[in-house]
Amino acid sequence: GNSVTQMEGPVTLSEEAFLTINCTYTATGYPSLFWYVQYPGEGLQLLLKATKADDKGSNKGFEATYRKETTSFHLEKGSVQVSDSAVYFCALQGAQKLVFGQGTRLTINP
Amino acid sequence: DTAVSQTPKYLVTQMGNDKSIKCEQNLGHDTMYWYKQDSKKFLKIMFSYNNKELIINETVPNRFSPKSPDKAHLNLHINSLELGDSAVYFCASSQDSGRGQPQHFGDGTRLSIL
């Protein structure tokens, strides 16, 4: 079945550092790929998405590119802020179901 | 103007009790979902309804029964609560069940079983 693997957390960075959170997937067919973010005490919010190979999703300075050849959808940001501290989830959607990675907790120190 | 709202936010109860969690969305979406998030933050889908019809039913114990009175509401009833049911339950909705549709999540209901 479909599955998503994210890099293990927690990840701790200093403000203005470069961020990469790795995400790889296994899927049949042509899934859509998503990054969601969860702030403390809240539900998940869509951060960005890509629906076909080579698409780049971007939002709030975050980017991820749908790489079919490496089955990856890594999340990047050039300069993180304290307000980016949250749990980040990579997810894929096949026919109907959204399948999540295990989440990566990110902490940004001032 | 909350898009997906769940009640209650916190639920503390004894083992063996029966409880319900309610969910409503005002986005006009056709599809709604229930997810369970465990203590390690792992999220797994439980159920999905499209226009009041059940379309996803994962391997969830029969003690869990979803009900969708209309497409804006999806409630979750849990019978004979067990310690392992302690988790955060999230409701979500999407425009439809098609590929690529982002899901909008509620803030979650934290269920604690004593």
Side-chain angles (χ1 to χ4, degrees), chain A residues 48-61:
Chain A
L48 52 85
K49 73 172 190 177
T51 56
K52 61 183 189 298
D54 300 324
D55 266 3
K56 178 188 277 190
S58 61
N59 186 25
K60 299 181 182 178

Side-chain angles (χ1 to χ4, degrees), chain B residues 89-104:
Chain B
Y89 292 84
F90 286 99
C91 178
S93 72
S94 62
Q95 185 67 52
D96 55 51
S97 58
R99 196 179 71 87
Q101 289 293 342
Q103 295 183 16
H104 298 253

Side-chain angles (χ1 to χ4, degrees), chain A residues 80-91:
Chain A
V80 292
Q81 307 300 315
V82 171
S83 57
D84 293 328
S85 298
V87 181
Y88 291 79
F89 293 89
C90 185

Side-chain angles (χ1 to χ4, degrees), chain B:
Chain B
D1 254 17
T2 307
V4 180
S5 58
Q6 299 178 225
T7 53
K9 192 170 174 63
Y10 299 97
L11 190 49
V12 182
T13 190
Q14 303 266 0
M15 212 163 49
N17 283 351
D18 303 338
K19 290 293 178 187
S20 292
I21 306 172
K22 296 188 174 183
C23 179
E24 175 182 5
Q25 54 95 3
N26 63 4
L27 297 167
H29 287 169
D30 285 346
T31 309
M32 296 184 73
Y33 311 82
W34 277 111
Y35 288 88
K36 180 180 181 181
Q37 186 175 47
D38 64 23
S39 57
K40 295 184 180 176
K41 295 289 190 183
F42 185 67
L43 261 167
K44 193 164 190 313
I45 190 163
M46 300 172 70
F47 302 103
S48 175
Y49 274 72
N50 187 60
N51 254 323
K52 303 193 298 176
E53 298 295 323
L54 181 67
I55 57 171
I56 294 175
N57 185 353
E58 290 294 286
T59 49
V60 176
N62 290 338
R63 299 182 294 103
F64 290 79
S65 52
K67 284 201 171 40
S68 181
D70 55 61
K71 73 174 193 177
H73 296 84
L74 180 60
N75 304 322
L76 183 65
H77 187 75
I78 316 170
N79 288 328
S80 304
L81 280 157
E82 299 177 359
L83 288 175
D85 298 333
S86 295
V88 182
Y89 292 84
F90 286 99
C91 178
S93 72
S94 62
Q95 185 67 52
D96 55 51
S97 58
R99 196 179 71 87
Q101 289 293 342
Q103 295 183 16
H104 298 253
F105 285 77
D107 284 344
T109 296
R110 183 174 293 277
L111 175 62
S112 300
I113 310 301
L114 304 178

Side-chain angles (χ1 to χ4, degrees), chain A residues 68-82:
Chain A
K68 198 168 190 308
E69 63 277 11
T70 54
T71 61
S72 65
F73 193 54
H74 304 321
L75 182 68
E76 295 182 337
K77 186 175 185 182
S79 175
V80 292
Q81 307 300 315
V82 171

